[in-house]
Amino acid sequence: MTTTLAPPVTVRAATTADLETLVEMGRRFLQTTQYRDRIADDPAHVRRLADLILHAGRHGRIVVAERDGALVGMIWGLLIVHPLLNIALGTEVVWWVEPAARGSGAGRALFTALEAWAQAEGAVAMQFTAYRDEQLERVYRRYGYVPQEIVFEKRFPDAHP
């Protein structure tokens, strides 16, 4: 029996050379998740956000997962001071792994890299925000996360994303 192993996934900090791929992956994230109903498909906005985080110095980080020279995943994060708790927190903005790379360890590697960055920058905790999804909740719990707050939202009539 012959077993073919997928090439290893490596993670690294994103650079401006990755910007167009980050935008395309960001758009796939928005189009294929529950965010598709809340956020307009606006490549210029995704580009501005990615560029802002790439150039945020110690306050922002985008980490990418790469296999055979191609990006297969990304995670975008910010370092903030929580307005009420008055503590430094790492917070995730986007976490995406291409469907073909899921189960490869890329998602966990991205997660771990963002946590390490936030902790190195002085964060005392890391927060991830997601729509309610049982499978994703199991992933977060497996990684040691517990729910802390619930966001309540009311959409205004005639409001557009």
Side-chain angles (χ1 to χ4, degrees):
M1 176 179 188
T2 303
T3 303
T4 304
L5 298 175
V9 172
T10 58
V11 296
R12 63 172 174 80
T15 68
T16 54
D18 300 314
L19 188 58
E20 292 311 310
T21 305
L22 295 170
V23 170
E24 288 309 310
M25 284 196 293
R27 291 182 68 206
R28 281 193 292 282
F29 167 81
L30 292 174
Q31 292 165 356
T32 60
T33 66
Q34 291 172 311
Y35 289 102
R36 71 183 166 274
D37 299 327
R38 299 194 58 206
I39 302 172
D41 183 15
D42 182 353
H45 170 70
V46 176
R47 185 175 290 103
R48 281 190 305 273
L49 180 58
D51 193 56
L52 176 74
I53 295 172
L54 281 171
H55 294 96
R58 69 177 289 266
H59 297 285
R61 175 65 54 105
I62 299 177
V63 180
V64 293
E66 198 170 38
R67 180 190 290 150
D68 283 340
L71 299 188
V72 297
M74 63 182 186
I75 194 165
W76 305 9
L78 293 170
L79 183 67
I80 65 166
V81 174
H82 190 282
L84 183 60
L85 302 177
N86 194 30
I87 59 173
L89 294 173
T91 184
E92 161 264 353
V93 177
V94 175
W95 180 34
W96 172 258
V97 176
E98 296 289 349
R102 293 178 187 167
S104 68
R108 180 63 168 146
L110 290 166
F111 211 96
T112 300
L114 193 67
E115 287 176 329
W117 162 78
Q119 191 171 17
E121 292 298 338
V124 299
M126 187 80 204
Q127 291 186 341
F128 283 77
T129 302
Y131 274 99
R132 304 218 43 158
D133 176 283
E134 288 181 23
Q135 182 179 357
L136 189 54
E137 187 173 326
R138 284 192 300 273
V139 169
Y140 287 140
R141 286 181 185 278
R142 189 168 58 242
Y143 293 175
Y145 287 75
V146 295
Q148 292 295 326
E149 295 183 49
I150 297 174
V151 174
F152 292 89
E153 179 180 288
K154 177 181 178 181
R155 297 294 287 198
F156 298 123
D158 302 321
H160 300 284

